[in-house]
Amino acid sequence: QGSSTARVGCSSAVFGMVDGRGGLPSYEPMFDDDDDEPPPAPPEDEDVQPEPMAEESEVLSLEPQVAPLEEQDADAADADGESRRARHGRHLVEEVYEGCCPAGAEAAMDAVRALHPHWGEVDADSDLGRRVRWVRKSNNWVYGELSTESFPILLAQSCPALGFSVGEFDGDRRGTFVDLGCGSGKVTALASLHFARVLGLELQSELVRLATGLAQRFRQRVDARGVEAGEVELHRADFLGRMMPQWRSADGHTWWELADVAYACSPKFCEDTMHGLAECAAMMRSGSRFITVRHALRGADIEEVWRGEALFSWGRDELIVHRRL
């Protein structure tokens, strides 16, 4: 079940970034290699245990149940060019996912605290040792989210991967969007309003559970209000296949074989992870798009086609769009 990228990096993003550009330099680990002091232990009355490393992905598949929207020029564009249908869908996302960023950050930090008794096992050749090592030696687990209001920027730059000109999305759902380290799943919900299929891959079990509950609530809302949305799948998985076997679809495809557009909220990803993502991007289809935050992908088969500012949970930062040549 491995791949050519399974040896490099790991996945996911967790814990709240709130000040400026995230507080810590992107590649500087939160915990020093020589620092044997773990994060604060949970209160004594709380029984917090490390999450088990699953053998297989945890999967939630939500089939779309399309209901007709009350037709009052639903696809007509407002003054800023966004269709009323899309705006209505974004408002539903804002309703359902309100407060999801601090909730996700707390769930992720709970997982770090659960490693407290095992802090010294950083060099152990075990699932637990790999998880301690991942937390201590990288900031890949640091959590942050793209704002709802900035998602149209990402969407506009995704259009060429689906056969449109930049910013000319016609409202028809098509293609596959993959969110790498999807956290609470807010971006997957936003993407489902525009893509036929959306995959969210997340390593932390607690975040997958949070995302699952929010996705179910969002599906209920869009069905009740007649807003069309694509199929959403949430998987517990390591998108580079180091912490657990590489994720594959039921018919054996990797995420990079399926993605028309891939997105990674990557401001804190370590260099190994960015290198691994570049290797994956090189195996995507020609013309597909890969969008990162703050750090660009490097490779002979990838070119940067756009860079611009967007709003995130920690403030303003750069979205970087790459095209697979």
Side-chain angles (χ1 to χ4, degrees), residues 64-83:
Q65 300 175 4
V66 178
L69 192 69
E70 289 187 11
E71 296 297 340
Q72 295 180 350
D73 294 325
D75 288 318
D78 290 337
D80 60 1
E82 183 179 30
S83 75

Side-chain angles (χ1 to χ4, degrees), residues 153-169 174 195 260-261 285-289 291 305-306 321-324:
I153 300 173
L154 182 153
L155 181 66
Q157 296 301 322
S158 301
C159 287
L162 303 176
F164 305 120
S165 299
V166 172
E168 294 185 356
F169 209 105
R174 64 175 74 177
F195 290 82
D260 294 291
V261 179
R285 289 189 297 273
S286 177
S288 57
R289 296 302 194 263
I291 302 173
V305 295
W306 185 85
V321 182
H322 311 80
R323 180 172 71 93
R324 170 65 170 87

Side-chain angles (χ1 to χ4, degrees), residues 5-19:
T5 63
R7 66 188 185 279
V8 187
C10 47
S11 75
S12 186
V14 233
F15 191 53
M17 300 188 294
V18 293
D19 58 328

Side-chain angles (χ1 to χ4, degrees), residues 18-321:
V18 293
D19 58 328
R21 287 170 63 88
L24 290 171
S26 299
Y27 296 146
E28 178 181 326
M30 183 77 75
F31 305 105
D32 294 335
D33 285 349
D34 298 328
D35 184 6
D36 290 328
E37 190 66 28
E44 292 184 1
D45 59 346
E46 291 187 13
D47 183 19
V48 181
Q49 299 295 326
E51 303 162 7
M53 295 302 292
E55 297 267 331
E56 299 179 355
S57 300
E58 298 174 13
V59 181
L60 169 70
S61 182
L62 300 177
E63 296 294 339
Q65 300 175 4
V66 178
L69 192 69
E70 289 187 11
E71 296 297 340
Q72 295 180 350
D73 294 325
D75 288 318
D78 290 337
D80 60 1
E82 183 179 30
S83 75
R84 294 169 192 170
R85 187 189 302 273
R87 185 181 297 278
H88 184 55
R90 280 207 300 123
H91 289 166
L92 291 180
V93 173
E94 290 170 351
E95 288 178 14
V96 172
Y97 287 83
E98 182 179 6
C100 65
C101 187
E106 187 60 29
M109 197 59 196
D110 282 345
V112 174
R113 295 187 187 107
L115 296 172
H116 179 277
H118 310 279
W119 210 242
E121 299 180 37
V122 63
D123 295 319
D125 185 18
S126 64
D127 287 342
L128 189 58
R130 283 187 286 274
R131 292 170 61 205
V132 173
R133 193 156 52 248
W134 179 62
V135 169
R136 290 189 60 173
K137 294 183 178 292
S138 80
N139 280 336
N140 290 358
W141 53 276
V142 177
Y143 190 91
E145 292 182 352
L146 178 70
S147 69
T148 305
E149 54 266 40
S150 284
F151 182 79
I153 300 173
L154 182 153
L155 181 66
Q157 296 301 322
S158 301
C159 287
L162 303 176
F164 305 120
S165 299
V166 172
E168 294 185 356
F169 209 105
D170 67 4
D172 290 338
R173 289 178 292 108
R174 64 175 74 177
T176 299
F177 181 95
V178 180
D179 187 355
L180 303 170
C182 66
S184 72
K186 183 176 75 173
V187 169
T188 66
L190 289 164
S192 73
L193 299 170
H194 304 279
F195 290 82
R197 184 183 187 187
V198 179
L199 304 177
L201 306 185
E202 172 57 56
L203 180 61
Q204 300 280 7
S205 295
E206 288 298 325
L207 286 171
V208 175
R209 282 191 280 271
L210 174 64
T212 297
L214 291 169
Q216 290 171 337
R217 191 185 313 167
F218 180 67
R219 176 61 64 188
Q220 292 168 353
R221 293 283 182 91
V222 297
D223 287 348
R225 302 193 188 181
V227 176
E228 298 180 358
E231 177 188 359
V232 175
E233 303 172 35
L234 301 174
H235 302 260
R236 182 166 183 261
D238 176 352
F239 56 65
L240 293 182
R242 185 174 184 181
M243 302 286 284
M244 57 196 306
Q246 181 58 257
W247 177 86
R248 291 180 182 274
S249 63
D251 54 359
H253 293 293
T254 59
W255 63 261
W256 57 82
E257 293 173 318
L258 298 173
D260 294 291
V261 179
Y263 168 70
C265 189
S266 59
K268 295 293 184 175
F269 281 5
C270 67
E271 290 178 279
D272 277 349
T273 299
M274 295 305 297
H275 177 67
L277 288 176
E279 288 189 343
C280 293
M283 293 185 285
M284 293 171 69
R285 289 189 297 273
S286 177
S288 57
R289 296 302 194 263
F290 199 126
I291 302 173
T292 60
V293 180
R294 193 183 301 180
H295 304 300
L297 302 176
R298 307 297 181 195
D301 298 314
I302 310 162
E303 69 170 352
E304 181 179 321
V305 295
W306 185 85
R307 182 184 291 242
E309 191 175 78
L311 183 63
F312 297 83
S313 54
W314 63 91
R316 295 193 175 277
D317 217 321
E318 283 188 318
L319 275 178
I320 306 171
V321 182

